[in-house]
């Protein structure tokens, strides 16, 4: 299959959907790889490194879209790209259709075959979302440490303290992928860490794998209040799949927190678990409410594109290969995870959650695949 990689055009998006090593694997697997010139630049990956891996550099996006049978991307196609998508062309990317009706209509109208990273499911897990949660979890502590510094508006406490001076107290709300990675980083820096969750199974697991300066606590209103009063840094990392994040911290709760403490609400992409949270960008990542610094960047991994690109492509590559080897119709029939990833096939909406979100007709992917000629 001819696989095309285009340069991301979303504002401040520096990731790319394939590394040179990934291109090498695909070429070795018998596929042809086309990469738009400078597509990897933002992640420090030169055109020459793709060429050395056997890929062909194409000067512009139009050339890649025009020739490739499958387009690999990171973010959802933007309006300028809709006109370039072709009937029967496969697209594999983060789509997040449920967040955007106009995008959904546009993708369906192209009659392309759009597969979404975020709905690919294996054993009830979403393995193509996980790497970005790992990045965001770890980054939340780096960001938190920075905004706790006095010149950045924080209390001026060092996460790990020093001999003779107590370390900071970090409160992690939700001990899933984001929360576990945040807890590990904070604990590694020497902070005292509390993780609040409501899943006893998860807390048993965390208790076994995390170092002794991490404590798991069952999330009740009373425990949360006690912890908020002690916290220097709060990381919001709760998720109820498919639903808006529950608002665990209310505006009134901020009054019980230390002035200059920091909230990093990673769950902001699902509405946030702090009432006062609203999405921010890397240009202006923070704002202050009632003396508490809020960091609520909705695309945290974008700040570390080099790491994020490698983490993402490590996870996507096996599925890109499978989709390219099988083609869209056989992939849907033979690979249940890829059938789950199918969002819009041959002009039909094939993701039930998106159909429900917009009250649109849902077509099972297998039925839509039958329309692929
Ligand atoms: N801002 C970003 O750039 C960015 C990047 C990656 C992920 N995220 C978001 O981070 C959030 C967390 O993702 P994840 O991968 O860790 O999810 P996850 O499913 O692995 O973990 C969620 C955890 O929250 C717990 N939980 C649910 N309800 C709770 C409650 N009431 N109290 C305490 N804990 C509760 C669950 O038991 C689970 O352990 C998601 O909203 C995800 O979209 C944001």
């Amino acid at each position: 299959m001819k696989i095309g990689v285009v340069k991301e055009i979303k504002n401040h998006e520096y990731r790319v959907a394939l590394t040179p090593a990934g291109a090498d694997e695909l070429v070795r697997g018998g596929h042809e790889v086309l990469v738009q010139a400078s597509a990897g630049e933002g992640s420090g990956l030169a055109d020459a490194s793709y060429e050395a891996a056997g890929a062909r550099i194409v000067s512009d996006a139009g050339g890649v879209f025009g020739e490739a049978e499958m387009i690999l991307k990171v973010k959802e196609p933007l309006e300028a790209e809709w006109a370039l998508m072709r009937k029967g062309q496969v697209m594999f990317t983060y789509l997040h259709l449920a967040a955007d009706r106009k995008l959904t209509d546009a993708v369906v109208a192209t009659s392309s075959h759009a597969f979404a990273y975020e709905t690919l499911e294996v054993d009830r897990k979403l393995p193509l979302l996980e790497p970005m949660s790992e990045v965001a979890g770890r980054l939340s502590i780096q960001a938190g440490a920075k905004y706790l510094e006095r010149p950045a508006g924080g209390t001026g406490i060092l996460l790990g303290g020093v001999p003779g001076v107590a370390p900071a107290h970090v409160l992690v709300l939700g001990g899933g992928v984001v929360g576990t990675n945040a807890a590990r980083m904070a604990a590694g820096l020497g902070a005292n860490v509390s993780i609040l969750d409501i899943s006893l199974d998860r807390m048993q697991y965390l208790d076994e794998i995390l170092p002794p300066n991490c404590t798991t606590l069952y999330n009740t209103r009373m425990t949360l209040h006690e912890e908020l009063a002690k916290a220097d840094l709060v990381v919001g990392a709760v998720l109820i799949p498919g639903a808006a994040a529950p608002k665990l911290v209310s505006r009134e709760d901020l009054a019980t927190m230390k002035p200059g403490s920091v909230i990093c609400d990673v769950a902001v992409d699902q509405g946030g678990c702090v009432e006062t949270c609203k999405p921010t960008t890397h240009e202006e990542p923070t704002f202050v409410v009632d003396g508490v610094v809020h960091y609520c960047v909705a695309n945290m991994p974008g700040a570390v594109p080099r790491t994020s690109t490698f983490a993402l492509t490590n996870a996507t590559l096996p599925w890109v290969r499978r989709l390219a080897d099988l083609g869209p119709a056989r992939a849907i029939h033979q690979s249940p995870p890829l059938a789950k990833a199918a969002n819009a096939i041959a002009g039909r909406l094939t993701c039930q959650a998106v159909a429900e979100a917009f009250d649109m007709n849902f077509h099972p992917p297998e039925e839509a695949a039958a329309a692929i000629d």
Side-chain angles (χ1 to χ4, degrees):
M1 198 182 252
K2 273 191 189 177
I3 302 169
V5 179
V6 288
K7 190 177 168 77
E8 295 299 318
I9 56 172
K10 194 161 182 164
N11 193 18
H12 287 280
E13 180 54 67
Y14 300 110
R15 288 173 291 175
V16 62
L18 190 71
T19 57
D24 177 66
E25 293 285 326
L26 294 174
V27 170
R28 280 175 198 281
H31 301 289
E32 200 180 324
V33 178
L34 289 68
V35 178
Q36 185 183 345
S38 77
E41 212 170 52
S43 299
L45 299 167
D47 289 350
S49 58
Y50 287 98
E51 282 179 309
R56 179 155 54 90
I57 301 299
V58 176
S59 62
D60 58 5
V64 180
F65 272 97
E67 205 182 325
E69 295 158 274
M70 165 150 76
I71 297 289
L72 288 184
K73 274 182 57 61
V74 177
K75 297 303 288 182
E76 72 282 359
L78 300 187
E79 215 159 327
E81 293 166 318
W82 298 346
L84 301 175
M85 294 169 70
R86 291 185 294 115
K87 182 179 179 205
Q89 188 171 51
V90 176
M91 174 167 283
F92 200 16
T93 189
Y94 285 122
L95 273 173
H96 292 294
L97 292 185
D100 191 337
R101 173 69 195 247
K102 212 172 148 202
L103 170 68
T104 303
D105 289 339
V107 170
V108 170
T110 61
S111 287
S112 60
H113 310 313
F115 290 74
Y117 295 152
E118 72 273 8
T119 59
L120 189 144
E121 198 178 306
V122 180
D123 296 336
R124 309 229 312 262
K125 285 191 169 169
L126 305 171
L128 303 192
L129 271 186
E130 236 174 78
M132 294 306 103
S133 287
E134 289 167 350
V135 170
R138 291 177 184 217
L139 197 56
S140 68
I141 301 303
Q142 272 182 221
K146 184 162 97 188
Y147 291 105
L148 276 173
E149 290 172 12
R150 188 72 192 164
T155 40
I157 191 169
L158 184 65
L159 278 186
V162 288
V165 183
H169 188 73
V170 176
L171 170 61
V172 179
L173 305 174
V177 181
V178 168
T180 307
N181 279 274
R184 257 186 203 288
M185 286 291 280
L189 287 170
N192 283 327
V193 184
S194 294
I195 305 152
L196 265 60
D197 206 298
I198 47 171
S199 161
L200 287 177
D201 284 349
R202 184 70 189 173
M203 287 191 281
Q204 274 159 4
Y205 166 74
L206 292 178
D207 194 60
E208 276 171 27
I209 61 144
L210 288 174
N213 51 339
C214 290
T215 307
T216 53
L217 296 166
Y218 191 82
N219 185 18
T220 60
R221 201 67 208 128
M222 202 179 273
T223 308
L224 177 63
H225 272 157
E226 285 166 11
E227 286 292 319
L228 281 175
K230 283 195 287 181
D232 298 292
L233 169 60
V234 177
V235 176
V238 299
L239 175 67
I240 298 175
K247 301 280 181 224
L248 299 183
V249 180
S250 66
R251 169 118 200 206
E252 295 79 68
D253 292 339
L254 298 186
T256 69
M257 294 179 66
K258 298 177 196 170
S261 53
V262 175
I263 295 177
C264 179
D265 199 350
V266 186
V268 61
D269 61 341
Q270 300 291 331
C273 53
V274 176
E275 189 186 359
T276 40
C277 150
K278 61 176 191 300
T280 60
T281 62
H282 290 296
E283 287 82 70
E284 235 176 288
T286 60
F287 57 93
V288 179
V289 181
D290 296 346
V292 177
V293 180
H294 290 52
Y295 173 100
C296 309
V297 176
N299 66 331
M300 292 175 67
V304 286
R306 174 107 185 145
T307 302
S308 301
T309 284
F310 281 90
L312 175 66
T313 59
N314 286 346
T316 55
L317 186 61
W319 300 103
V320 171
R321 265 197 85 158
R322 195 147 169 72
L323 184 53
D325 287 347
L326 295 171
R330 274 171 53 220
I332 287 169
H333 288 300
Q334 294 181 20
S335 166
L338 284 170
K340 281 273 187 189
N343 274 223
I345 301 293
R348 295 156 176 84
L349 189 63
T350 54
C351 178
Q352 190 141 26
V354 178
E356 279 167 13
F358 298 132
D359 202 12
M360 290 169 76
N361 283 338
F362 164 71
H363 299 265
E366 295 74 14
E367 176 204 300
I372 300 177
D373 31 57

